[in-house]
Amino acid sequence: MAPTVLVLTVLCLQIFVTFQSLVREPSPALDQRTRTFTKREVRGASVKPARYSRDVSSHRDVPLCITSVTVTSEEYAKLQSNTHYFAFTTDDGTSITLAWIGDGTGIILALTIYSIPFSIWNFGSSSRLYRSEDYGKTFIEISSTIRNSFIRKDLGIMAGPGNSKRVILAADISEGTEKGGKIYTSVDAAEDFTAIDLPFHLGMKIIFHPTNENYLLTKSIDSSLWVSQDFGMNWKRIHESVYTVSWGPGNVIFFATHPNGTVDINGRGELHLKRTEDFGKTFHIVLYNVYNFGHSEHFLFASVVTDRGHPRKVFVSTDEGDTWGEAQLPPVTHDQFYSVLASDEEMIFMHVDEPGDNGFGTMYTSGDTGVLYSKSLENHWFDDKRGVSDFTNITSLRGVYITNILTKDGSIQSVITYDAGGTWSSLNPPSGSSCNTDECNLHIYGEYSMLQFPNVPMPPLTDVNAVGIIIAHGYVGNAIANVNPDVYVSDDGGYTWIKSLEGPHHYAILDSGGLIVAVEASSDKTVHTLKFSTDEGQCWTVYPFTNTSFMFSGLASEPGTKSMNVSIWGYTVAEDSSTTWVTYTVDFKELLTKECDDNDYVTWLAHSTNTESDTDGCILGYKENFQRLKKSSVCINGRDYVIDKVGQACKCTKSDYLCDFGYYRQENSTNCVREPDLKADDIEFCLQGNEETLKTDGYRKIPGDKCEEGFVPSRKEYFKALCKSTASDKSYDSATTAMIIICTLLMTVIMILGFVMILRKYICGNRTFVYRYSALQQNADDRCITDGLDNVSAEPRGPYHDDSDEDLIE
C-alpha cells in the first residue's frame, strides 16, 4: 500500500507542477492589481494543437485608418517631454511583478526576482523591491524596508482590494529549519513595513476581507485555517484539514473540511461545508458530502455526492447555507465537472461538461434562486483540463457576453448574446469584409484560444467605464483559424465591428475610453513605436517613443481605465548577454489638455437598431440613453468622470423571457415548447428543503429583466411538502456502514464458528461489498472485499479530472 501511495503522490505532484506551468498571466481585461513579466518567455510551450477547420476566406481588403506619417513635430515634442525612461540597472531579476496600490494614488510596487532555472531550492536566488509615486515614471529601491529579505515568487505582492493602501509581502523562509514564516505588512502604501513572525508557513496567498481592511484569512502548508483580525499582527488557528475556504458576508467564513481530519485526493465527496460567524469560536455544518464549493456576492454553490458511486449534483443557497435547493441541472460523473462562468445578484451562467473528453459542454442560465435553470447554449467550447473557456462578460454594456462553440466538423465559431444568454447569434463581420465561403462572420479569440493559438497576445478588453467599447483579436471567415489575428473594435457592445489594426497587438484603454493605446506584438523583434487613438480605434497615430532597441514584454496601466499614463515594459540585452529591465511611461495629459464639456458628448441609445418602434433599444426590459464622447472630440474625460445615463422600462415581449424548466426555444423563434420527455403538466422539484410544484406556460422572465405589462405568461409555484431528504441531512457514509456490517459479522463468527465458511461463500457468491467513495477507485465491485477498506485499490477507468468544479466562483 505504501509504495502505491508514494507513486500516486509523485504523480499528483507532477500533475500539479504541470498545471502550474500552464497558468497564464492574469488578464489585463480584469481589474487585476498585479502584473508579472518574465524575460525570454517562450509562449505556447506544451500546448496541444488546436482543432480548427481550414479557412480559405480573405478579408485583407478592408482599409485601415493608420496615419502614414508619425505625429506632428508639435505633438512629438509634447509626448517626448512626457515620456519617462527608467532602467533597473544592476538588477539581474528574471521576472518582475507590478502592483498598483490604491486608486489614483500613482503608487506602484515593483518586485524583481532572480531565480535559478529548474532549481527547487532558492540557493543563489534574490529579490529587490522598488516603489514609484508617479505612475511608474521613476522608481526607488526600498528593499531595506523589508530587511533585504527574499520574497516568495509564488505569493508575490499581495495588495489590498479597492482603494486600500495595504500591502503584504511573504518572505521565503525554509520550511525545514524554521517553525513559521515571516510576512511584511504595510498600511501606508509601502512607505513603511512591519515584520511579523508567523506561527505557521503560508500554504496559499492571504485572502483580504472585501470590506474590513484588518481581517485576513489563509491556509498553512499543513492545511490548517488561520485568521487575523488585526492585519496580521496576531493569528488564530480555527480549524485543521481544510480543503477550500472563502469569506462570506460580514464576519462569515466558509470552508470545506474532511470529518476524519485528513487531506487527500480521495476525500472530495465526503467533505463537510462549515460556517463560522465568530472567527472560529463556534461552527455550523451547513452541508454534507461536499466535493467542492464556491461563494459569490449572492450565491453559495456546492457540488455534492448525494449517493456514493453516483454522479455529483449542484446545490445552491441564497441565505448563506441555512437552506439549500438542488439545482435542476444534469448530474456529472467523476470525469465531468461544473463551472460557474459568471454570477451576479440575479443569475448564474453554469457550464456543464459533456461525458467523455470532448472539450465542450452545455451552458445553462439560472433564475434568481440559482435552482431552476434553462438551457442557453449547446456545444460550448471549454478546456476540461485547465478549466478555461472563451466566455467573456462584456462589462461595457449590460446583457452582452461573447464565447465560442465547437461545431460538428470540429471548427471553432464565435457567438454573442445581447440578452444575458436568452438567444445567441454569430458576430457580424466589419462592413466591406469579403469571404470565399458561404459563412462570413467575425470570430473572437478569448482566454482558451490564447492557449490554443500562441500568436494571440491578449484576450478581449472591455471595461464598465468605457461604455460600449470592445477591443479583441479576431478573424473574419467561417471559423477561427490558426493565423496571425487582427485587432477589431466595437463601439456599440458588439453589434458592429471595424478592423482597427493589422496583426496582433497589446492594447489598453485609458481615460474611460477616450484614449486607446497599442503596441505591435512580436516575439522575434524589438519595438520602437506606440500607437494611440482618440476616436475609439477608427484612426491611429504612430508615436516613435524610442530609438533604442529593447525586448518588449507588455503594456501596463492602472486598473479601471481612468489613468492617462501607460507603461511599456521590456528589457535590454547587452553584449555579454546580461539583461536589464526597462520601462517607458508615456503621460498623455500634455497632449490632451482640453477638458471635455457638454458639447463634446452625444446622446446614444444602447442596443438600438435604428427603428421607429417603441421597443427599439429594449434589452432585458429596459432601454438606456448614455452621454458618450463624440469621436471627433479630442479632450479628457478625467478621473472624476461618471457615466451619465437615463433609463426607462419597456413593455414585456417574449424576448424578455427564457424558456422555463422543461421547455426549449425553437430555432429562429421566440416561442417556448415543451421538452418531449416532459409528460406531466405540473413540474415537481426540491427548493430549499421544500417540495414545490410548478405550473407554467413555459416562460420564465430573464433574471434582471425590468419590463412591465405587455406579454405576461402564467407561472406559479406551489408548496407541496417537505422534501424526503436533502444534501444537508447527515447520513452514514459507506465507511460507517461497512464498520457496522463488519462488527456484526465478527459477533456472528464468534457465536457460530461452524457457519463461517458458509457465510463467506454466501457473501462472495452474492458479491456483497463496501468501499469508500473515490474517483480513483471505480472497479471496487469487481471482487469480494474481505480485507478492509484500506486495501481496496483499482486502476481508474478514465482520465481523472482533479480540477472538477474548481471553477465555482469563490
Side-chain angles (χ1 to χ4, degrees):
M1 185 64 183
T4 303
V5 173
L6 179 60
V7 170
L8 287 176
T9 303
V10 173
L11 287 175
C12 291
L13 286 173
Q14 290 178 344
I15 292 171
F16 176 78
V17 172
T18 302
F19 176 77
Q20 290 297 314
S21 68
L22 293 172
V23 174
R24 299 188 61 84
E25 173 188 338
S27 167
L30 304 177
D31 186 14
Q32 300 286 348
R33 295 200 164 270
T34 60
R35 292 287 305 278
T36 299
F37 300 120
T38 305
K39 293 175 182 176
R40 291 180 292 273
E41 180 182 4
V42 181
R43 305 193 65 231
S46 301
V47 177
K48 63 181 181 181
R51 290 181 288 184
Y52 61 91
S53 294
R54 181 173 180 268
D55 193 310
V56 295
S57 61
S58 174
H59 60 281
R60 301 294 181 182
D61 55 343
V62 181
L64 302 178
C65 185
I66 300 179
T67 54
S68 57
V69 296
T70 60
V71 291
T72 65
S73 58
E74 182 181 357
E75 292 172 332
Y76 180 81
K78 289 182 178 179
L79 287 172
Q80 271 291 297
S81 63
N82 287 277
T83 298
H84 305 269
Y85 169 80
F86 186 85
F88 294 78
T89 55
T90 72
D91 191 314
D92 55 357
T94 52
S95 68
I96 187 166
T97 298
L98 310 176
W100 282 261
I101 312 302
D103 293 330
T105 62
I107 298 174
I108 303 175
L109 293 185
L111 175 67
T112 63
I113 292 180
Y114 172 79
S115 54
I116 300 175
F118 309 112
S119 175
I120 61 175
W121 298 280
N122 289 323
F123 177 76
S125 298
S126 62
S127 65
R128 293 186 182 181
L129 184 65
Y130 301 83
R131 185 174 185 268
S132 172
E133 296 182 350
D134 51 14
Y135 294 95
K137 298 170 185 175
T138 59
F139 284 89
I140 297 175
E141 185 176 358
I142 58 170
S143 300
S144 59
T145 62
I146 57 171
R147 305 177 185 178
N148 297 303
S149 298
F150 176 52
I151 302 303
R152 287 178 57 174
K153 181 180 180 180
D154 58 330
L155 301 182
I157 303 172
M158 293 172 277
N163 201 29
S164 169
K165 294 183 180 180
R166 305 206 169 196
V167 184
I168 302 176
L169 300 171
D172 201 307
I173 303 294
S174 173
E175 299 171 4
T177 59
E178 300 292 338
K179 293 182 179 180
K182 182 188 291 290
I183 59 173
Y184 294 92
T185 63
S186 174
V187 296
D188 54 8
E191 286 192 23
D192 299 290
F193 280 92
T194 300
I196 300 174
D197 291 320
L198 300 176
F200 59 92
H201 288 282
L202 283 170
M204 61 175 287
K205 281 193 174 185
I206 294 174
I207 307 174
F208 289 83
H209 190 278
T211 57
N212 192 313
E213 295 179 337
N214 288 320
Y215 295 170
L216 302 174
L217 196 61
T218 191
K219 281 171 50 181
S220 56
I221 58 174
D222 62 356
S223 298
S224 295
L225 181 59
W226 295 79
V227 66
S228 173
Q229 296 175 251
D230 53 10
F231 196 58
M233 293 298 297
N234 297 280
W235 292 85
K236 174 186 176 183
R237 180 165 60 184
I238 62 175
H239 211 284
E240 298 178 347
S241 305
V242 173
Y243 282 66
T244 50
V245 60
S246 173
W247 283 110
N251 298 337
V252 174
I253 300 172
F254 294 105
F255 60 94
T257 182
H258 199 285
N260 295 338
T262 59
V263 178
D264 61 66
I265 200 170
N266 298 333
R268 293 189 181 274
E270 301 174 352
L271 305 182
H272 289 175
L273 178 56
K274 292 186 177 182
R275 179 183 70 199
T276 177
E277 302 176 40
D278 51 15
F279 299 102
K281 294 179 181 179
T282 59
F283 300 98
H284 176 58
I285 300 177
V286 297
L287 202 61
Y288 294 86
N289 301 324
V290 172
Y291 189 89
N292 201 6
F293 85 96
H295 182 267
S296 70
E297 184 176 353
H298 184 62
F299 298 101
L300 180 63
F301 318 92
S303 57
V304 174
V305 180
T306 55
D307 296 298
R308 295 292 181 240
H310 286 73
R312 298 189 304 277
K313 298 180 180 179
V314 170
F315 284 77
V316 182
S317 174
T318 57
D319 54 13
E320 309 306 333
D322 288 336
T323 58
W324 294 83
E326 181 182 333
Q328 302 303 299
L329 289 165
V332 299
T333 58
H334 77 283
D335 61 344
Q336 295 174 266
F337 59 92
Y338 299 103
S339 178
V340 176
L341 302 170
S343 172
D344 57 26
E345 294 183 355
E346 297 168 328
M347 69 180 300
I348 303 168
F349 281 88
M350 182 78 76
H351 173 94
V352 181
D353 186 44
E354 290 293 316
D357 186 16
N358 299 317
F360 67 92
T362 301
M363 186 191 304
Y364 294 83
T365 54
S366 78
D368 54 6
T369 64
V371 172
L372 293 180
Y373 285 78
S374 298
K375 184 184 295 185
S376 176
L377 182 67
E378 294 181 328
N379 302 317
H380 182 230
W381 197 38
F382 198 103
D383 186 348
D384 53 2
K385 297 296 186 298
R386 286 163 287 199
V388 295
S389 73
D390 287 334
F391 184 85
T392 304
N393 181 1
I394 306 302
T395 57
S396 61
L397 197 62
R398 181 175 58 95
V400 183
Y401 300 83
I402 295 175
T403 194
N404 284 324
I405 59 173
L406 180 64
T407 63
K408 292 181 180 180
D409 64 359
S411 62
I412 309 301
Q413 298 180 357
S414 295
V415 290
I416 187 170
T417 178
Y418 305 103
D419 56 3
T423 57
W424 295 83
S425 59
S426 300
L427 279 71
N428 296 319
S431 176
S433 298
S434 61
C435 301
N436 296 328
T437 61
D438 294 335
E439 297 183 22
C440 187
N441 296 297
L442 176 62
H443 303 280
I444 299 298
Y445 298 80
E447 288 278 3
Y448 187 14
S449 299
M450 292 175 63
L451 293 173
Q452 298 286 342
F453 305 99
N455 50 355
V456 182
M458 284 189 66
L461 180 61
T462 176
D463 189 87
V464 65
N465 293 314
V467 177
I469 295 178
I470 311 170
I471 311 174
H473 287 95
Y475 179 76
V476 174
N478 63 354
I480 279 183
N482 191 12
V483 298
N484 278 336
D486 298 317
V487 176
Y488 292 83
V489 175
S490 174
D491 63 359
D492 56 7
Y495 284 91
T496 60
W497 298 80
I498 61 170
K499 189 170 84 167
S500 186
L501 290 170
E502 186 89 37
H505 283 69
H506 294 258
Y507 37 72
I509 299 176
L510 306 180
D511 192 35
S512 300
L515 182 64
I516 301 174
V517 296
V519 171
E520 187 175 358
S522 178
S523 59
D524 57 355
K525 66 179 182 180
T526 59
V527 298
H528 300 89
T529 60
L530 173 71
K531 302 170 185 176
F532 64 92
S533 172
T534 59
D535 55 9
E536 298 175 347
Q538 289 194 117
C539 297
W540 295 82
T541 302
V542 179
Y543 165 50
F545 64 90
T546 182
N547 293 322
T548 304
S549 296
F550 73 103
M551 302 300 294
F552 172 71
S553 294
L555 282 179
S557 62
E558 181 186 20
T561 72
K562 292 281 188 177
S563 178
M564 292 292 291
N565 297 269
V566 65
S567 296
I568 306 158
W569 285 83
Y571 57 92
T572 59
V573 181
E575 292 182 358
D576 61 356
S577 298
S578 62
T579 59
T580 301
W581 284 108
V582 297
T583 178
Y584 294 83
T585 299
V586 182
D587 189 342
F588 285 89
K589 282 186 178 179
E590 291 300 320
L591 181 65
L592 306 177
T593 56
K594 178 182 179 296
E595 301 250 347
C596 299
D597 56 35
D598 292 342
N599 295 325
D600 291 305
Y601 296 92
V602 62
T603 301
W604 176 68
L605 176 60
H607 296 288
S608 174
T609 56
N610 298 316
T611 64
E612 300 298 327
S613 171
D614 292 337
T615 60
D616 185 34
C618 288
I619 286 291
L620 300 176
Y622 201 71
K623 62 170 62 178
E624 294 173 300
N625 283 288
F626 292 86
Q627 293 298 310
R628 290 187 58 177
L629 192 65
K630 295 178 181 177
K631 288 182 173 57
S632 58
S633 294
V634 182
C635 58
I636 301 176
N637 283 315
R639 185 168 288 276
D640 297 329
Y641 170 75
V642 178
I643 296 173
D644 185 5
K645 64 179 179 180
V646 177
Q648 68 180 79
C650 305
K651 285 189 176 182
C652 296
T653 66
K654 289 184 179 179
S655 299
D656 294 298
Y657 293 83
L658 297 170
C659 293
D660 216 335
F661 180 72
Y663 289 76
Y664 71 97
R665 184 157 268 143
Q666 293 176 310
E667 188 174 355
N668 300 322
S669 172
T670 58
N671 296 324
C672 293
V673 297
R674 184 182 297 185
E675 294 276 4
D677 296 337
L678 187 64
K679 299 179 180 179
D681 292 335
D682 298 343
I683 302 172
E684 296 182 354
F685 59 95
C686 187
L687 175 61
Q688 296 179 342
N690 298 327
E691 188 174 332
E692 304 276 349
T693 299
L694 173 65
K695 289 182 177 292
T696 177
D697 288 344
Y699 298 88
R700 171 170 55 86
K701 185 177 283 190
I702 298 173
D705 194 291
K706 301 178 182 179
C707 71
E708 300 173 353
E709 302 177 342
F711 176 73
V712 183
S714 174
R715 188 181 192 277
K716 295 182 179 180
E717 295 179 14
Y718 301 91
F719 168 75
K720 186 176 180 181
L722 292 176
C723 297
K724 294 181 179 180
S725 63
T726 67
S728 57
D729 294 334
K730 185 173 181 179
S731 58
Y732 291 111
D733 59 18
S734 55
T736 305
T737 304
M739 188 60 66
I740 295 173
I741 294 175
I742 291 172
C743 291
T744 303
L745 287 176
L746 286 175
M747 291 178 64
T748 305
V749 168
I750 294 172
M751 295 175 61
I752 316 174
L753 187 59
F755 292 94
V756 170
M757 297 304 298
I758 300 175
L759 279 172
R760 277 193 69 181
K761 182 178 180 181
Y762 176 79
I763 293 174
C764 292
N766 285 276
R767 305 179 66 81
T768 301
F769 66 96
V770 290
Y771 64 96
R772 175 163 35 202
Y773 176 80
S774 168
L776 294 177
Q777 300 171 353
Q778 300 297 321
N779 299 327
D781 57 337
D782 287 346
R783 67 178 186 211
C784 176
I785 298 175
T786 57
D787 297 329
L789 300 179
D790 290 339
N791 291 330
V792 177
S793 64
E795 293 298 322
R797 287 187 295 190
Y800 175 68
H801 184 74
D802 185 31
D803 302 307
S804 296
D805 312 338
E806 287 289 352
D807 297 287
L808 293 172
I809 294 179
E810 298 186 10

